[in-house]
């Protein structure tokens, strides 16, 4: 779900003009390969650079109240942190409050503003990348799968030709060996690094580059930890280890807990026999374990309610949506998310850039009503995230006490 620009900002021609001007400047910087800070001096439109004149003209247009336009710009800068405002050292008597002010654009807000104005970042294609791809294109089933701007040159690679040679070798290994796991393929093709294909969507890129050959990959089992009561009435799947252990310490009497470690990529196959392998945290009779495994594999007579509890960010919502492909009635677990939602809405969240989450992809809906009407709108409105581990044991015990746990 794209974040929508506030109505007050959309109705202010100065704000709209300045935001468009800033993105024009940033786009020029991206295409030239030199990004730097952007500052704007507010003054007479006649003396402003040509590209800035249209944005400042409403200040001197009698159809508008320039003080009101300025107040709304100050509000945007304060509440959405789009600009830092620096007042002039000296202000001539009789001048308007906006005259001579310097605005410094906050780079961390660029993604939000691009969503507001529906202006994606342009792609600068490195000529070296393009030349290397031309030489290697025939070694991929679908070379168009590479990003329009090309791949980033990861640390450890001497150049794009070496990087593309590794990706091309992936197809050769699949064609001649087959039956290997992603970790084995990664180690063989990327300088012994078994986890290279785990990172930053690399596995998805491999599938896109070699859509037929990747069908030969042998999927690894998903190892999960389980807390199991003697009789389970519901199942809560937990994204992070600390939160799983904290829940298990509550010793729920009727709720099974599964630590899934954020297995979004395997969510579509997680209920297939033999895919998920469980280690049990507590001592439990074998019949209860066998009955749980039957339920997990969709072979039980009765379907248990299933829930997910993870980080309150877009990646967490992506995991919930992925799990619903296997657990069709799965909902986000309210007792766990409630204190996180309260913390987020009261200003206690962190910005994506702070936690290096600025590349998370927004999601419009998960299929869970609670997530789609409460959690995702809160993420969109605040532009911030809250991690699962922020919930204290006291908050969790209080929340769990309110439900049949």
């Amino acid at each position: 779900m794209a974040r929508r620009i506030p109505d007050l900002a959309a109705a202010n021609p100065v704000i709209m003009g300045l935001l468009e001007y800033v993105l024009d400047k940033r786009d020029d910087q991206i295409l030239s390969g030199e990004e730097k800070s952007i500052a704007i001096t507010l003054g007479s439109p006649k003396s402003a650079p040509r590209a800035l004149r249209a944005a400042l003209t409403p200040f001197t247009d009698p159809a508008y109240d320039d003080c009101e336009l300025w107040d709304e710009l100050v509000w945007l800068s304060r509440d959405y942190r789009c600009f830092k405002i620096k007042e002039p050292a000296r202000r001539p008597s009789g001048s308007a409050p906006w005259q001579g002010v310097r605005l410094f654009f906050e780079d961390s807000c660029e993604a939000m503003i691009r969503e507001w104005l529906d202006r994606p970042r342009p792609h600068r294609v490195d000529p070296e990348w393009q030349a290397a791809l031309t030489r290697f294109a025939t070694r991929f089933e679908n070379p168009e799968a590479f990003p329009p701007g090309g791949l980033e040159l990861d640390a450890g690679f001497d150049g794009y030709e070496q990087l593309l040679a590794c990706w091309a070798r992936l197809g050769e290994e699949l064609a001649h060996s087959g039956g290997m796991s992603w970790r084995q393929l990664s180690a063989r093709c990327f300088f012994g690094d078994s986890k290279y294909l785990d990172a930053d969507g690399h596995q998805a890129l491999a599938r896109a580059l070699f859509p037929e050959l990747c069908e030969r990959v042998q999927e690894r089992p998903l190892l999960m930890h389980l807390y199991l009561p003697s009789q389970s009435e519901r199942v809560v799947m937990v994204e992070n280890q600390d939160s799983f252990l904290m829940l298990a310490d509550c010793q729920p009497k009727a709720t099974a807990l599964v630590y899934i470690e954020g297995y979004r990529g395997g969510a579509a196959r997680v209920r297939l026999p033999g895919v998920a392998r469980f280690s049990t945290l507590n001592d439990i009779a074998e019949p209860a374990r066998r009955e749980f495994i039957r339920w997990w594999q969709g072979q039980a007579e009765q379907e248990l309610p299933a829930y997910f509890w993870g980080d309150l960010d877009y990646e967490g919502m992506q995991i919930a949506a992925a799990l619903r492909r296997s657990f069709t009635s799965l909902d986000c677990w309210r007792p766990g998310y409630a204190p996180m939602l309260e913390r987020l809405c009261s200003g206690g969240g962190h910005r994506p850039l702070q936690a290096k989450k600025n590349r998370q992809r927004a999601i419009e809906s998960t299929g869970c009503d609670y997530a789609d009407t409460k959690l995702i709108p809160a993420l969109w409105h605040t532009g911030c995230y809250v991690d699962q581990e922020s919930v204290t044991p006291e908050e969790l015990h209080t929340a769990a006490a309110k439900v049949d746990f």
Side-chain angles (χ1 to χ4, degrees), residues 192-235:
D193 183 356
S194 66
K195 298 181 179 63
Y196 184 83
L197 290 175
D198 290 358
D200 297 330
H202 287 172
Q203 192 176 122
L205 177 58
R207 292 181 185 276
L209 290 170
F210 303 102
E212 294 185 14
L213 288 173
C214 279
E215 293 181 3
R216 302 184 181 189
V217 176
Q218 181 178 334
E219 300 286 356
R220 301 169 76 220
L222 303 179
L223 304 180
M224 299 184 178
H225 299 283
L226 173 67
Y227 171 91
L228 194 62
S230 57
Q231 184 67 40
S232 299
E233 297 179 5
R234 70 195 61 80
V235 179

Side-chain angles (χ1 to χ4, degrees), residues 15 60 91 145 160 173 199 220 236 317 335 350 363 373 384 388:
I15 290 176
T60 57
R91 186 188 301 279
Y160 291 121
E173 290 286 346
R220 301 169 76 220
V236 177
M317 296 297 99
H350 58 267
I363 181 172
T373 61
C384 293
Q388 184 178 29

Side-chain angles (χ1 to χ4, degrees), residues 12-14 45 53-66 69 98:
N12 186 314
V14 170
R53 290 175 192 171
L56 301 183
T57 295
F59 273 141
T60 57
D61 188 334
Y64 296 99
D65 182 338
D66 66 328
L69 295 174
W98 52 270

Side-chain angles (χ1 to χ4, degrees), residues 207-282:
R207 292 181 185 276
L209 290 170
F210 303 102
E212 294 185 14
L213 288 173
C214 279
E215 293 181 3
R216 302 184 181 189
V217 176
Q218 181 178 334
E219 300 286 356
R220 301 169 76 220
L222 303 179
L223 304 180
M224 299 184 178
H225 299 283
L226 173 67
Y227 171 91
L228 194 62
S230 57
Q231 184 67 40
S232 299
E233 297 179 5
R234 70 195 61 80
V235 179
V236 177
M237 293 169 237
V238 187
E239 179 181 357
N240 297 300
Q241 177 179 313
D242 288 358
S243 300
F244 166 75
L245 293 174
M246 188 166 62
L247 263 185
D249 286 342
C250 294
Q251 298 183 340
K253 304 300 182 185
T255 302
L257 305 175
V258 181
Y259 169 44
I260 63 169
E261 200 176 354
Y263 283 128
R264 175 156 68 99
R269 60 188 181 93
V270 73
R271 299 191 81 173
L272 296 177
V275 171
R277 299 186 184 178
F278 294 96
S279 62
T280 308
L281 189 66
N282 58 321

